[in-house]
Amino acid sequence: MLDLKRIREFPDDIRRGIQDKHERGDVDAVLDIDRRRREIIAGVDQLKNTRNVVSQEIARMKKAGEDASSRIEEMKGVSDTIKSMDEELRTVEEQLREMLLSLPNISHDSVPVGESDADNVEVRSWIPEHTVGINEESDEPLRDHIELGKKLGILDFDRGAKLSGSGFPLYTGAGATLERALINFMIDVHRNEHGYREVFPPFVVNTASMYGTGQLPKMTEDMYRCADDDLYLIPTAEVPITNMYRDEILDTEQVPSYFCGYSACFRREAGSYGKQTKGFLRVHQFNKVELVKFARPENSYDELEKLVADVEKILQLLHIPYRVRLLCTGDTSFSSAKTYDLEVWAPGEEAWLEASSCSNFEDFQARRANIRFRPDGPKSKPEFVHTLNGSGLATSRLMVALLENCQTPEGTVVVPKVLQPYTGFAVID
RNA sequence: GGAGAGGUGGGUGAGUGGCUGAAACCAACGGUUUGCUAAACCGUCAUAGUGGGACAACUGCUAUCGAGGGUUCGAAUCCCUCCCUCUCCGCCA
């Protein structure tokens, strides 16, 4: 949610920002309704004041044994007016809130203006000195992850579909072990080397949480919902982890703080059928280790760079080639002010796959979720924190890259050194 | 699923219709005292909206005692609905 005062003061900037982001939002309507709201407040507060004053007087008169009936009669009318004005105010504020909730975050100045993926800017790329598998010298054609998965008996898409439908992958044998190893490895690196505190969140959350991080109201059709309990399956651990501190004021020393946590992620991917649906590329359930930061506003962009570096470290340790791209305004998500995507190279697909998205939301989520902190000791006035998060990383896409990069000409897969303590085996064959 | 209990400020916890935005205590913060620490004492100690003011200091008003509605001149206090938490029993991983 944007700051209403900021909209009042710089309406043109907001209009342009919304346009750059290719979102919709009627700034003038917001300003109109805000003006109306303040009118009502001015009037009704005045009336409440008289009511309070006169009520006190009535109390005093009664105590003194005087007759207060005329004053009481007078106040009946006032009370009725207050009631109807309060009702109108509530309606107006609800409208305003809905409008504000539907306005996107505005991109940071450092974000290139652009329309789509084509306008994203590659910031850097990284290629390991040596590959884990052996593929460059061989004449054997590279296999893709589906073929590898089938041949090695580690991914069973058909039976996954039998259980739940397409897009619900089933890992078997060494595949299941490898998946678990990846998760544990990533959490350990972030916890032990990057200073993140580990959390294990619930996988379903209530609507307030979904509003807090910005999934609601816009992404309703993309989420799985348990209608009987009015709970949603989380599309990312960002939701529960960021919402841990919803409606709280953090102490000075609690900011910045870093959290990492694993969760399964559930996405309906409505409307994307037919696109990249084969194998692991787009699934309804996947595993992800998420990084979340609560940062001070003045250095949240430094925190974003560090966050990206923390994710890169994982890929480097796994010897997986990747590139970092800065998303343009049009490709940046609704809630984010600035986003870097990390894309891993999948040689079997001959494609870059988005495996991580790292964003600074500034105070957009914090304002929605009402997460504040005292910037300068226990007496200082609360301010909204800046929230950041990034996938560190999503295992589905990572698994594709890993299998395809670490395959041998014989069709086996070499497990990267750093994962071997977690898997207990060095080769999948 | 059955039966109960309860939701008040950072915490504990008073408060059953009007000088209660809310006692008291603890924590925290500032200070006095002190060789240092401790103790003691004094003081400060919510958030938001809206207006004045230089979008300062400061200040007026309004709101907030789980949420919403009702009764009343007036509600933390009475009534209704909902939400949440806890305890016991049953069932179950």
Side-chain angles (χ1 to χ4, degrees):
Chain A
M1 189 152 59
L2 296 171
D3 183 5
L4 184 54
K5 291 201 186 91
R6 184 177 163 198
I7 301 176
R8 266 185 224 152
E9 274 178 68
F10 310 104
D12 293 335
D13 293 353
I14 303 298
R15 266 187 281 263
R16 185 172 41 78
I18 294 171
Q19 199 177 0
D20 285 346
K21 223 150 170 199
H22 291 262
E23 294 275 354
R24 300 160 142 263
D26 190 342
V27 172
D28 290 314
V30 169
L31 293 175
D32 282 346
I33 201 127
D34 174 49
R35 222 170 283 127
R36 177 77 192 117
R37 165 178 155 269
R38 283 186 290 164
E39 267 171 35
I40 299 172
I41 287 173
V44 78
D45 276 5
Q46 183 66 48
L47 288 179
K48 283 177 178 172
N49 180 238
T50 23
R51 182 181 67 182
N52 289 343
V53 171
V54 175
S55 287
Q56 300 244 2
E57 200 186 321
I58 291 169
R60 205 177 47 243
M61 289 170 85
K62 284 200 164 180
K63 214 172 241 173
E66 297 169 30
D67 176 29
S69 54
S70 73
R71 308 246 68 183
I72 289 175
E73 206 50 42
E74 206 180 305
M75 283 306 104
K76 275 186 184 169
V78 172
S79 262
D80 287 345
T81 314
I82 289 174
K83 198 170 286 180
S84 67
M85 285 177 87
D86 263 344
E87 205 161 306
E88 194 186 349
L89 181 61
R90 202 164 38 243
T91 312
V92 165
E93 291 199 315
E94 185 50 38
Q95 283 172 6
L96 180 62
R97 190 183 124 81
E98 271 170 33
M99 285 181 186
L100 287 175
L101 282 175
S102 70
L103 290 185
N105 201 357
I106 302 301
S107 287
H108 188 253
D109 285 342
S110 61
V111 174
V113 175
E115 300 219 355
S116 66
D117 181 81
D119 302 312
N120 296 339
V121 176
E122 181 169 326
V123 178
R124 61 183 165 273
S125 60
W126 183 89
I127 295 167
E129 282 174 26
H130 57 90
T131 48
V132 174
I134 313 139
N135 42 41
E136 271 134 44
E137 320 280 292
S138 169
D139 295 333
E140 285 283 317
L142 285 173
R143 297 172 168 90
D144 68 21
H145 72 284
I146 298 174
E147 192 182 346
L148 287 165
K150 194 167 282 184
K151 177 177 180 297
L152 298 171
I154 57 176
L155 301 175
D156 191 339
F157 293 105
D158 295 337
R159 290 201 177 85
K162 174 163 74 178
L163 296 172
S164 314
S166 83
F168 290 93
L170 170 66
Y171 305 72
T172 51
T177 309
L178 184 60
E179 178 76 359
R180 191 160 49 82
L182 273 172
I183 293 165
N184 285 333
F185 161 69
M186 293 191 285
I187 288 181
D188 281 352
V189 171
H190 292 311
R191 191 196 58 183
N192 298 333
E193 291 171 33
H194 299 154
Y196 292 77
R197 179 172 166 79
E198 184 177 353
V199 294
F200 203 122
F203 292 180
V204 294
V205 299
N206 53 30
T207 55
S209 298
M210 284 299 188
Y211 273 101
T213 29
Q215 279 74 24
L216 286 178
K218 290 237 147 174
M219 305 281 279
T220 318
E221 68 286 350
D222 262 322
M223 293 188 294
Y224 290 98
R225 174 155 173 261
C226 311
D228 284 347
D229 304 288
D230 204 21
L231 293 170
Y232 292 87
L233 273 66
I234 56 173
T236 159
E238 161 197 345
V239 177
I241 299 179
T242 306
N243 277 284
M244 283 196 302
Y245 294 123
R246 174 154 45 83
D247 293 321
E248 291 192 34
I249 300 175
L250 302 177
D251 295 333
T252 304
E253 60 275 12
Q254 282 179 280
V255 179
S257 53
Y258 306 165
F259 294 92
C260 70
Y262 156 77
S263 86
C265 302
F266 303 91
R267 301 184 182 183
R268 295 185 60 228
E269 300 290 357
S272 62
Y273 293 104
K275 274 189 266 177
Q276 279 196 330
T277 47
K278 76 173 177 157
F280 254 146
L281 298 183
R282 188 176 292 274
V283 287
H284 293 306
Q285 178 185 328
F286 60 95
N287 296 307
K288 183 155 64 68
V289 170
E290 184 74 2
L291 307 176
V292 174
K293 289 186 174 188
F294 299 89
R296 300 182 65 95
E298 65 269 20
N299 63 9
S300 63
Y301 281 94
D302 296 335
E303 293 285 4
L304 178 61
E305 297 301 323
K306 276 164 59 188
L307 180 68
V308 173
D310 291 339
V311 179
E312 287 182 61
K313 182 71 180 178
I314 297 287
L315 294 172
Q316 291 170 7
L317 288 169
L318 293 172
H319 292 269
I320 292 176
Y322 67 86
R323 64 180 185 181
V324 180
R325 301 176 87 205
L326 172 57
L327 299 193
C328 70
T329 52
D331 217 22
T332 304
S333 71
F334 179 79
S335 301
S336 171
K338 182 173 185 175
T339 299
Y340 290 105
D341 271 4
L342 274 79
E343 299 179 339
V344 292
W345 177 247
E349 319 290 331
E350 295 190 311
W352 294 98
L353 306 179
E354 181 195 331
S356 173
S357 199
C358 300
S359 303
N360 185 358
F361 301 92
E362 297 187 354
D363 64 6
F364 188 83
Q365 292 181 329
R367 198 176 290 281
R368 288 173 161 246
N370 193 25
I371 306 169
R372 292 174 292 170
F373 78 116
R374 296 189 190 275
D376 190 27
K379 292 289 166 192
S380 55
K381 192 172 151 57
E383 268 178 47
F384 289 109
V385 298
H386 279 195
T387 59
L388 297 88
N389 70 52
S391 346
L393 303 73
T395 58
S396 49
R397 307 272 173 79
L398 188 57
M399 179 73 87
V400 172
L402 189 118
L403 294 177
E404 294 182 4
N405 279 292
C406 300
Q407 64 180 301
T408 66
E410 297 74 43
T412 64
V413 169
V414 179
V415 177
K417 270 257 173 347
V418 290
L419 283 182
Q420 290 177 15
Y422 292 90
T423 55
F425 49 75
V427 178
I428 304 174
D429 51 18

